[in-house]
Amino acid sequence: MQLQVMPGAPLRGRIRVAADKSISHRALMLGSVATGVSRVSNLLPSEDVLATVRAFQQMGVRIQQLSDTDWQIHGVGLHGLKRPPSALDMGNSGTALRLIVGLLCAQRWSSTVDGDASLRARPMHRIVEPLSKMGARIESNAGKPPLTITAAPHLRGIHCRMPIASAQVKSCLLLAGLYADGVTTVIEAAPTRDHTERLLKAFGADLATSAGEVRLTPPLRGAAGLQACDMQVPADLSSAAFFLVGACITPGSDLTLQNVGINPTRNGVLCILKRMGADLRISARASVGGEPVADIRVRHAALRGCRIHGDDIALAIDEMPALAVAAAFARGNTEIRDAGELRVKESDRIRGVASALAALGVAVTEHADGLTIVGRTDGADGAMTAIGGGRVDSCGDHRIAMAFAMAGGGAQGAVQVARCEPIATSFPDFVSVARHAGLNIKVL
Ligand code: S3P
């Protein structure tokens, strides 16, 4: 699938972007191993999340879709999962695979998890190593999927100082920790999204957090484990980010995104865009399912380049492709550093974003851990230099695809983005929501 965006159409009105992918995976996983029936409203029905639905269905969990947005999970309890008849296919989803392994390694049966070509290229030693210290037995293909998990006699709690900032690794260890003898403590390398911690508490787990440390005490053997609960999934700030950037860079834009998750361990994109001079207004703050949400109004503004580094990275890890597009339209240079993790996402996002920017005529330097993006300058005629149109390759990466579709709104010529199918992994309605907001977008 190829997308074409024609320039100049402002983004206006009020929209709802896709539901939160991270929270949707976690709601399904915890609901599956809780006792009782959990209802989830506004679950994201994207390919990644549906891979998680299918995996738990294969392990005997009844998961039903009640309406467009509402789902019901008949939890089987911590020890009620059944051995799946075949390997679990987690598709494109690193979150689904890394988190589910935390549960699988504690079962009394063996299993295999696998994924698509992109997922098969992603590093898994980051979970295999600490899980092995807990007593798990996992074999990989040179540190990558497929992973084969052999039934372990029992797991031990772990005190783990994480070498990298990763919510997936943290969450995987906490899920395994539910089955361990003794306490599991995870000390974070930098703050990362805390959806697992919030949801574990909502499901009744004994979890304490303080200054970068998470401490999980597993339920006593024979005691009630997690208790079913009802929850509502907010809109995904990572999906909102494309529209925030699109509106910032497209003259005449005035767009409100409704009910978006603004969890402080995840809202780096808002802080960074503000630093760049974005006109963002937050209103209607509320709490939804234990997560802070708000409406975000964004208007076109002149952006300036900035430095994005250190703790910024984990707080906005998935928003870097969108921020790179914002940087290309900003006055002055933007430097993204400490972001080597971007090389092991759904694609090598440092390389992919650099190539896509270059295809639009933007000067960019690639570093091992980031990018320097040359922003706009004053042209000879006194006007700001423009970004031309062009053809870019998404590298089969949903976030690069959506970020560069948005670049089309602010560019001087049409932008075509090739290989956009993976948008369905996180934001199946992207094209129709974008059109509704006013983007002149066409599927070629
Ligand atoms: C996620 C954590 C992040 C993020 C991913 C979703 C999660 O990955 O990039 O898209 O839901 O926990 P890492 O933990 O690898 O940083």
Side-chain angles (χ1 to χ4, degrees), residues 159 170 174 178 183-188 194 196-202 204-218:
H159 185 87
K170 171 178 63 174
L174 293 175
L178 287 170
V183 171
T184 290
T185 309
V186 182
I187 301 155
E188 296 214 75
D194 65 359
T196 305
E197 295 91 304
R198 287 173 190 253
L199 269 183
L200 276 169
K201 281 185 190 161
D206 182 353
L207 184 120
T209 48
S210 71
E213 187 173 309
V214 190
R215 195 181 143 86
L216 175 91
T217 307

PDB file of all heavy atoms in Angstrom, residues 159 170 174 178 183-188 194 196-202 204-218:
ATOM      1  N   HIS A 159      16.452  -9.524  41.795  1.00  0.00           N
ATOM      2  CA  HIS A 159      16.727  -8.110  42.039  1.00  0.00           C
ATOM      3  C   HIS A 159      17.493  -7.664  40.810  1.00  0.00           C
ATOM      4  O   HIS A 159      18.645  -8.022  40.630  1.00  0.00           O
ATOM      5  CB  HIS A 159      17.575  -7.970  43.304  1.00  0.00           C
ATOM      6  CG  HIS A 159      17.804  -6.556  43.705  1.00  0.00           C
ATOM      7  ND1 HIS A 159      16.942  -5.854  44.509  1.00  0.00           N
ATOM      8  CD2 HIS A 159      18.788  -5.685  43.383  1.00  0.00           C
ATOM      9  CE1 HIS A 159      17.389  -4.631  44.677  1.00  0.00           C
ATOM     10  NE2 HIS A 159      18.516  -4.497  43.998  1.00  0.00           N
ATOM     11  N   LYS A 170      11.050  -4.561  31.669  1.00  0.00           N
ATOM     12  CA  LYS A 170      10.519  -4.375  33.032  1.00  0.00           C
ATOM     13  C   LYS A 170       9.208  -5.155  33.189  1.00  0.00           C
ATOM     14  O   LYS A 170       9.019  -5.909  34.160  1.00  0.00           O
ATOM     15  CB  LYS A 170      10.281  -2.872  33.271  1.00  0.00           C
ATOM     16  CG  LYS A 170       9.552  -2.529  34.542  1.00  0.00           C
ATOM     17  CD  LYS A 170       9.381  -1.010  34.736  1.00  0.00           C
ATOM     18  CE  LYS A 170       8.540  -0.337  33.681  1.00  0.00           C
ATOM     19  NZ  LYS A 170       8.272   1.092  33.983  1.00  0.00           N
ATOM     20  N   LEU A 174       8.176  -8.398  35.606  1.00  0.00           N
ATOM     21  CA  LEU A 174       7.103  -8.300  36.608  1.00  0.00           C
ATOM     22  C   LEU A 174       6.074  -9.407  36.395  1.00  0.00           C
ATOM     23  O   LEU A 174       5.569  -9.998  37.357  1.00  0.00           O
ATOM     24  CB  LEU A 174       6.432  -6.925  36.544  1.00  0.00           C
ATOM     25  CG  LEU A 174       7.315  -5.743  36.973  1.00  0.00           C
ATOM     26  CD1 LEU A 174       6.591  -4.419  36.741  1.00  0.00           C
ATOM     27  CD2 LEU A 174       7.729  -5.868  38.448  1.00  0.00           C
ATOM     28  N   LEU A 178       5.146 -12.632  39.079  1.00  0.00           N
ATOM     29  CA  LEU A 178       3.865 -13.047  39.675  1.00  0.00           C
ATOM     30  C   LEU A 178       3.904 -14.518  40.089  1.00  0.00           C
ATOM     31  O   LEU A 178       3.163 -14.963  40.958  1.00  0.00           O
ATOM     32  CB  LEU A 178       2.721 -12.866  38.665  1.00  0.00           C
ATOM     33  CG  LEU A 178       2.256 -11.447  38.372  1.00  0.00           C
ATOM     34  CD1 LEU A 178       1.298 -11.457  37.182  1.00  0.00           C
ATOM     35  CD2 LEU A 178       1.580 -10.838  39.603  1.00  0.00           C
ATOM     36  N   VAL A 183      10.307 -11.969  46.289  1.00  0.00           N
ATOM     37  CA  VAL A 183      10.014 -10.647  45.707  1.00  0.00           C
ATOM     38  C   VAL A 183      10.843 -10.430  44.443  1.00  0.00           C
ATOM     39  O   VAL A 183      11.989 -10.862  44.362  1.00  0.00           O
ATOM     40  CB  VAL A 183      10.358  -9.568  46.771  1.00  0.00           C
ATOM     41  CG1 VAL A 183      10.304  -8.173  46.192  1.00  0.00           C
ATOM     42  CG2 VAL A 183       9.425  -9.699  47.961  1.00  0.00           C
ATOM     43  N   THR A 184      10.248  -9.765  43.449  1.00  0.00           N
ATOM     44  CA  THR A 184      11.001  -9.321  42.275  1.00  0.00           C
ATOM     45  C   THR A 184      11.130  -7.809  42.332  1.00  0.00           C
ATOM     46  O   THR A 184      10.123  -7.102  42.472  1.00  0.00           O
ATOM     47  CB  THR A 184      10.293  -9.768  40.974  1.00  0.00           C
ATOM     48  OG1 THR A 184      10.410 -11.186  40.878  1.00  0.00           O
ATOM     49  CG2 THR A 184      10.907  -9.125  39.737  1.00  0.00           C
ATOM     50  N   THR A 185      12.376  -7.333  42.222  1.00  0.00           N
ATOM     51  CA  THR A 185      12.612  -5.886  42.233  1.00  0.00           C
ATOM     52  C   THR A 185      13.305  -5.500  40.940  1.00  0.00           C
ATOM     53  O   THR A 185      14.281  -6.133  40.537  1.00  0.00           O
ATOM     54  CB  THR A 185      13.514  -5.487  43.419  1.00  0.00           C
ATOM     55  OG1 THR A 185      12.971  -6.055  44.599  1.00  0.00           O
ATOM     56  CG2 THR A 185      13.591  -3.982  43.561  1.00  0.00           C
ATOM     57  N   VAL A 186      12.766  -4.490  40.284  1.00  0.00           N
ATOM     58  CA  VAL A 186      13.378  -3.997  39.049  1.00  0.00           C
ATOM     59  C   VAL A 186      13.775  -2.545  39.269  1.00  0.00           C
ATOM     60  O   VAL A 186      12.946  -1.733  39.697  1.00  0.00           O
ATOM     61  CB  VAL A 186      12.385  -4.094  37.861  1.00  0.00           C
ATOM     62  CG1 VAL A 186      13.045  -3.624  36.576  1.00  0.00           C
ATOM     63  CG2 VAL A 186      11.870  -5.520  37.700  1.00  0.00           C
ATOM     64  N   ILE A 187      15.058  -2.256  39.001  1.00  0.00           N
ATOM     65  CA  ILE A 187      15.533  -0.874  39.133  1.00  0.00           C
ATOM     66  C   ILE A 187      15.774  -0.351  37.727  1.00  0.00           C
ATOM     67  O   ILE A 187      16.556  -0.926  36.953  1.00  0.00           O
ATOM     68  CB  ILE A 187      16.821  -0.816  39.978  1.00  0.00           C
ATOM     69  CG1 ILE A 187      16.506  -1.400  41.359  1.00  0.00           C
ATOM     70  CG2 ILE A 187      17.334   0.608  40.099  1.00  0.00           C
ATOM     71  CD1 ILE A 187      17.684  -1.950  42.062  1.00  0.00           C
ATOM     72  N   GLU A 188      15.089   0.705  37.387  1.00  0.00           N
ATOM     73  CA  GLU A 188      15.105   1.196  36.012  1.00  0.00           C
ATOM     74  C   GLU A 188      16.368   1.994  35.687  1.00  0.00           C
ATOM     75  O   GLU A 188      16.888   2.728  36.539  1.00  0.00           O
ATOM     76  CB  GLU A 188      13.893   2.089  35.779  1.00  0.00           C
ATOM     77  CG  GLU A 188      12.593   1.342  35.896  1.00  0.00           C
ATOM     78  CD  GLU A 188      11.569   1.903  34.942  1.00  0.00           C
ATOM     79  OE1 GLU A 188      11.680   1.631  33.739  1.00  0.00           O
ATOM     80  OE2 GLU A 188      10.670   2.612  35.406  1.00  0.00           O
ATOM     81  N   ASP A 194       4.820   3.247  32.669  1.00  0.00           N
ATOM     82  CA  ASP A 194       4.485   2.429  33.845  1.00  0.00           C
ATOM     83  C   ASP A 194       3.073   1.837  33.755  1.00  0.00           C
ATOM     84  O   ASP A 194       2.425   1.607  34.764  1.00  0.00           O
ATOM     85  CB  ASP A 194       4.640   3.263  35.129  1.00  0.00           C
ATOM     86  CG  ASP A 194       3.650   4.431  35.201  1.00  0.00           C
ATOM     87  OD1 ASP A 194       2.850   4.618  34.255  1.00  0.00           O
ATOM     88  OD2 ASP A 194       3.669   5.151  36.220  1.00  0.00           O
ATOM     89  N   THR A 196       2.169  -1.178  33.031  1.00  0.00           N
ATOM     90  CA  THR A 196       2.066  -2.499  33.672  1.00  0.00           C
ATOM     91  C   THR A 196       1.871  -2.343  35.176  1.00  0.00           C
ATOM     92  O   THR A 196       1.036  -3.025  35.783  1.00  0.00           O
ATOM     93  CB  THR A 196       3.338  -3.324  33.395  1.00  0.00           C
ATOM     94  OG1 THR A 196       3.519  -3.387  31.985  1.00  0.00           O
ATOM     95  CG2 THR A 196       3.235  -4.733  33.956  1.00  0.00           C
ATOM     96  N   GLU A 197       2.645  -1.432  35.761  1.00  0.00           N
ATOM     97  CA  GLU A 197       2.551  -1.237  37.205  1.00  0.00           C
ATOM     98  C   GLU A 197       1.144  -0.753  37.580  1.00  0.00           C
ATOM     99  O   GLU A 197       0.527  -1.250  38.527  1.00  0.00           O
ATOM    100  CB  GLU A 197       3.580  -0.197  37.679  1.00  0.00           C
ATOM    101  CG  GLU A 197       5.031  -0.623  37.500  1.00  0.00           C
ATOM    102  CD  GLU A 197       5.614  -0.198  36.156  1.00  0.00           C
ATOM    103  OE1 GLU A 197       5.040  -0.553  35.107  1.00  0.00           O
ATOM    104  OE2 GLU A 197       6.646   0.482  36.143  1.00  0.00           O
ATOM    105  N   ARG A 198       0.634   0.218  36.823  1.00  0.00           N
ATOM    106  CA  ARG A 198      -0.704   0.752  37.133  1.00  0.00           C
ATOM    107  C   ARG A 198      -1.760  -0.340  37.010  1.00  0.00           C
ATOM    108  O   ARG A 198      -2.656  -0.463  37.846  1.00  0.00           O
ATOM    109  CB  ARG A 198      -1.052   1.900  36.176  1.00  0.00           C
ATOM    110  CG  ARG A 198      -0.290   3.175  36.467  1.00  0.00           C
ATOM    111  CD  ARG A 198      -0.552   4.206  35.386  1.00  0.00           C
ATOM    112  NE  ARG A 198       0.338   5.346  35.528  1.00  0.00           N
ATOM    113  CZ  ARG A 198      -0.027   6.547  35.963  1.00  0.00           C
ATOM    114  NH1 ARG A 198      -1.287   6.781  36.274  1.00  0.00           N
ATOM    115  NH2 ARG A 198       0.849   7.521  36.069  1.00  0.00           N
ATOM    116  N   LEU A 199      -1.646  -1.141  35.947  1.00  0.00           N
ATOM    117  CA  LEU A 199      -2.670  -2.178  35.745  1.00  0.00           C
ATOM    118  C   LEU A 199      -2.530  -3.305  36.764  1.00  0.00           C
ATOM    119  O   LEU A 199      -3.530  -3.830  37.256  1.00  0.00           O
ATOM    120  CB  LEU A 199      -2.574  -2.747  34.331  1.00  0.00           C
ATOM    121  CG  LEU A 199      -3.438  -2.065  33.273  1.00  0.00           C
ATOM    122  CD1 LEU A 199      -3.303  -2.781  31.943  1.00  0.00           C
ATOM    123  CD2 LEU A 199      -4.912  -2.029  33.676  1.00  0.00           C
ATOM    124  N   LEU A 200      -1.289  -3.679  37.082  1.00  0.00           N
ATOM    125  CA  LEU A 200      -1.114  -4.732  38.101  1.00  0.00           C
ATOM    126  C   LEU A 200      -1.793  -4.313  39.397  1.00  0.00           C
ATOM    127  O   LEU A 200      -2.470  -5.106  40.043  1.00  0.00           O
ATOM    128  CB  LEU A 200       0.378  -5.009  38.331  1.00  0.00           C
ATOM    129  CG  LEU A 200       1.037  -5.988  37.353  1.00  0.00           C
ATOM    130  CD1 LEU A 200       2.554  -5.968  37.507  1.00  0.00           C
ATOM    131  CD2 LEU A 200       0.502  -7.415  37.538  1.00  0.00           C
ATOM    132  N   LYS A 201      -1.624  -3.040  39.767  1.00  0.00           N
ATOM    133  CA  LYS A 201      -2.274  -2.557  40.999  1.00  0.00           C
ATOM    134  C   LYS A 201      -3.793  -2.647  40.854  1.00  0.00           C
ATOM    135  O   LYS A 201      -4.489  -3.075  41.776  1.00  0.00           O
ATOM    136  CB  LYS A 201      -1.868  -1.112  41.278  1.00  0.00           C
ATOM    137  CG  LYS A 201      -0.493  -0.999  41.892  1.00  0.00           C
ATOM    138  CD  LYS A 201      -0.206   0.448  42.264  1.00  0.00           C
ATOM    139  CE  LYS A 201       1.249   0.616  42.661  1.00  0.00           C
ATOM    140  NZ  LYS A 201       1.710   1.995  42.604  1.00  0.00           N
ATOM    141  N   ALA A 202      -4.307  -2.246  39.673  1.00  0.00           N
ATOM    142  CA  ALA A 202      -5.764  -2.294  39.470  1.00  0.00           C
ATOM    143  C   ALA A 202      -6.286  -3.725  39.579  1.00  0.00           C
ATOM    144  O   ALA A 202      -7.420  -3.952  40.006  1.00  0.00           O
ATOM    145  CB  ALA A 202      -6.123  -1.698  38.108  1.00  0.00           C
ATOM    146  N   GLY A 204      -5.112  -5.855  41.578  1.00  0.00           N
ATOM    147  CA  GLY A 204      -4.955  -6.303  42.966  1.00  0.00           C
ATOM    148  C   GLY A 204      -3.601  -6.875  43.314  1.00  0.00           C
ATOM    149  O   GLY A 204      -3.434  -7.474  44.379  1.00  0.00           O
ATOM    150  N   ALA A 205      -2.604  -6.700  42.446  1.00  0.00           N
ATOM    151  CA  ALA A 205      -1.267  -7.233  42.774  1.00  0.00           C
ATOM    152  C   ALA A 205      -0.631  -6.397  43.878  1.00  0.00           C
ATOM    153  O   ALA A 205      -0.955  -5.219  44.052  1.00  0.00           O
ATOM    154  CB  ALA A 205      -0.383  -7.219  41.527  1.00  0.00           C
ATOM    155  N   ASP A 206       0.287  -7.020  44.597  1.00  0.00           N
ATOM    156  CA  ASP A 206       1.013  -6.338  45.679  1.00  0.00           C
ATOM    157  C   ASP A 206       2.277  -5.729  45.058  1.00  0.00           C
ATOM    158  O   ASP A 206       3.290  -6.406  44.878  1.00  0.00           O
ATOM    159  CB  ASP A 206       1.352  -7.372  46.761  1.00  0.00           C
ATOM    160  CG  ASP A 206       2.071  -6.727  47.940  1.00  0.00           C
ATOM    161  OD1 ASP A 206       2.421  -5.540  47.863  1.00  0.00           O
ATOM    162  OD2 ASP A 206       2.293  -7.439  48.946  1.00  0.00           O
ATOM    163  N   LEU A 207       2.180  -4.469  44.695  1.00  0.00           N
ATOM    164  CA  LEU A 207       3.264  -3.817  43.959  1.00  0.00           C
ATOM    165  C   LEU A 207       3.543  -2.450  44.558  1.00  0.00           C
ATOM    166  O   LEU A 207       2.616  -1.695  44.851  1.00  0.00           O
ATOM    167  CB  LEU A 207       2.812  -3.667  42.498  1.00  0.00           C
ATOM    168  CG  LEU A 207       3.855  -3.097  41.558  1.00  0.00           C
ATOM    169  CD1 LEU A 207       4.146  -4.098  40.463  1.00  0.00           C
ATOM    170  CD2 LEU A 207       3.343  -1.819  40.933  1.00  0.00           C
ATOM    171  N   ALA A 208       4.815  -2.172  44.777  1.00  0.00           N
ATOM    172  CA  ALA A 208       5.188  -0.862  45.336  1.00  0.00           C
ATOM    173  C   ALA A 208       6.211  -0.215  44.416  1.00  0.00           C
ATOM    174  O   ALA A 208       7.093  -0.892  43.882  1.00  0.00           O
ATOM    175  CB  ALA A 208       5.790  -1.055  46.728  1.00  0.00           C
ATOM    176  N   THR A 209       6.074   1.071  44.210  1.00  0.00           N
ATOM    177  CA  THR A 209       7.031   1.783  43.359  1.00  0.00           C
ATOM    178  C   THR A 209       7.608   2.959  44.132  1.00  0.00           C
ATOM    179  O   THR A 209       6.894   3.627  44.881  1.00  0.00           O
ATOM    180  CB  THR A 209       6.352   2.331  42.089  1.00  0.00           C
ATOM    181  OG1 THR A 209       5.159   2.990  42.475  1.00  0.00           O
ATOM    182  CG2 THR A 209       6.004   1.257  41.104  1.00  0.00           C
ATOM    183  N   SER A 210       8.911   3.184  43.944  1.00  0.00           N
ATOM    184  CA  SER A 210       9.526   4.381  44.518  1.00  0.00           C
ATOM    185  C   SER A 210      10.798   4.675  43.752  1.00  0.00           C
ATOM    186  O   SER A 210      11.550   3.755  43.430  1.00  0.00           O
ATOM    187  CB  SER A 210       9.854   4.168  45.997  1.00  0.00           C
ATOM    188  OG  SER A 210      10.920   3.273  46.117  1.00  0.00           O
ATOM    189  N   ALA A 211      10.973   5.936  43.425  1.00  0.00           N
ATOM    190  CA  ALA A 211      12.202   6.445  42.793  1.00  0.00           C
ATOM    191  C   ALA A 211      12.905   5.439  41.877  1.00  0.00           C
ATOM    192  O   ALA A 211      14.001   4.967  42.169  1.00  0.00           O
ATOM    193  CB  ALA A 211      13.157   6.923  43.879  1.00  0.00           C
ATOM    194  N   GLY A 212      12.242   5.099  40.794  1.00  0.00           N
ATOM    195  CA  GLY A 212      12.905   4.259  39.799  1.00  0.00           C
ATOM    196  C   GLY A 212      12.996   2.786  40.161  1.00  0.00           C
ATOM    197  O   GLY A 212      13.664   2.004  39.491  1.00  0.00           O
ATOM    198  N   GLU A 213      12.306   2.383  41.235  1.00  0.00           N
ATOM    199  CA  GLU A 213      12.362   0.984  41.660  1.00  0.00           C
ATOM    200  C   GLU A 213      10.942   0.427  41.738  1.00  0.00           C
ATOM    201  O   GLU A 213      10.054   1.079  42.274  1.00  0.00           O
ATOM    202  CB  GLU A 213      13.040   0.925  43.032  1.00  0.00           C
ATOM    203  CG  GLU A 213      13.306  -0.473  43.487  1.00  0.00           C
ATOM    204  CD  GLU A 213      14.128  -0.511  44.778  1.00  0.00           C
ATOM    205  OE1 GLU A 213      15.183   0.141  44.839  1.00  0.00           O
ATOM    206  OE2 GLU A 213      13.671  -1.190  45.717  1.00  0.00           O
ATOM    207  N   VAL A 214      10.741  -0.758  41.192  1.00  0.00           N
ATOM    208  CA  VAL A 214       9.434  -1.419  41.267  1.00  0.00           C
ATOM    209  C   VAL A 214       9.613  -2.732  42.001  1.00  0.00           C
ATOM    210  O   VAL A 214      10.525  -3.509  41.690  1.00  0.00           O
ATOM    211  CB  VAL A 214       8.874  -1.722  39.848  1.00  0.00           C
ATOM    212  CG1 VAL A 214       7.422  -2.186  39.937  1.00  0.00           C
ATOM    213  CG2 VAL A 214       8.995  -0.533  38.931  1.00  0.00           C
ATOM    214  N   ARG A 215       8.738  -2.971  42.970  1.00  0.00           N
ATOM    215  CA  ARG A 215       8.882  -4.154  43.825  1.00  0.00           C
ATOM    216  C   ARG A 215       7.567  -4.919  43.821  1.00  0.00           C
ATOM    217  O   ARG A 215       6.535  -4.388  44.223  1.00  0.00           O
ATOM    218  CB  ARG A 215       9.181  -3.623  45.234  1.00  0.00           C
ATOM    219  CG  ARG A 215       9.706  -4.604  46.215  1.00  0.00           C
ATOM    220  CD  ARG A 215       9.892  -3.865  47.542  1.00  0.00           C
ATOM    221  NE  ARG A 215       9.547  -4.758  48.628  1.00  0.00           N
ATOM    222  CZ  ARG A 215      10.398  -5.608  49.174  1.00  0.00           C
ATOM    223  NH1 ARG A 215      11.632  -5.649  48.784  1.00  0.00           N
ATOM    224  NH2 ARG A 215      10.004  -6.427  50.133  1.00  0.00           N
ATOM    225  N   LEU A 216       7.636  -6.135  43.319  1.00  0.00           N
ATOM    226  CA  LEU A 216       6.420  -6.955  43.225  1.00  0.00           C
ATOM    227  C   LEU A 216       6.518  -8.142  44.179  1.00  0.00           C
ATOM    228  O   LEU A 216       7.472  -8.914  44.115  1.00  0.00           O
ATOM    229  CB  LEU A 216       6.248  -7.486  41.796  1.00  0.00           C
ATOM    230  CG  LEU A 216       5.072  -8.442  41.649  1.00  0.00           C
ATOM    231  CD1 LEU A 216       3.814  -7.686  41.272  1.00  0.00           C
ATOM    232  CD2 LEU A 216       5.346  -9.520  40.636  1.00  0.00           C
ATOM    233  N   THR A 217       5.533  -8.267  45.053  1.00  0.00           N
ATOM    234  CA  THR A 217       5.463  -9.438  45.926  1.00  0.00           C
ATOM    235  C   THR A 217       4.404 -10.361  45.336  1.00  0.00           C
ATOM    236  O   THR A 217       3.239  -9.963  45.189  1.00  0.00           O
ATOM    237  CB  THR A 217       5.063  -9.022  47.363  1.00  0.00           C
ATOM    238  OG1 THR A 217       5.960  -7.991  47.781  1.00  0.00           O
ATOM    239  CG2 THR A 217       5.126 -10.196  48.322  1.00  0.00           C
ATOM    240  N   PRO A 218       4.786 -11.590  44.958  1.00  0.00           N
ATOM    241  CA  PRO A 218       3.807 -12.466  44.291  1.00  0.00           C
ATOM    242  C   PRO A 218       2.736 -12.925  45.257  1.00  0.00           C
ATOM    243  O   PRO A 218       2.971 -12.971  46.466  1.00  0.00           O
ATOM    244  CB  PRO A 218       4.665 -13.638  43.816  1.00  0.00           C
ATOM    245  CG  PRO A 218       5.832 -13.655  44.730  1.00  0.00           C
ATOM    246  CD  PRO A 218       6.094 -12.237  45.152  1.00  0.00           C
TER     247      PRO A 218
END
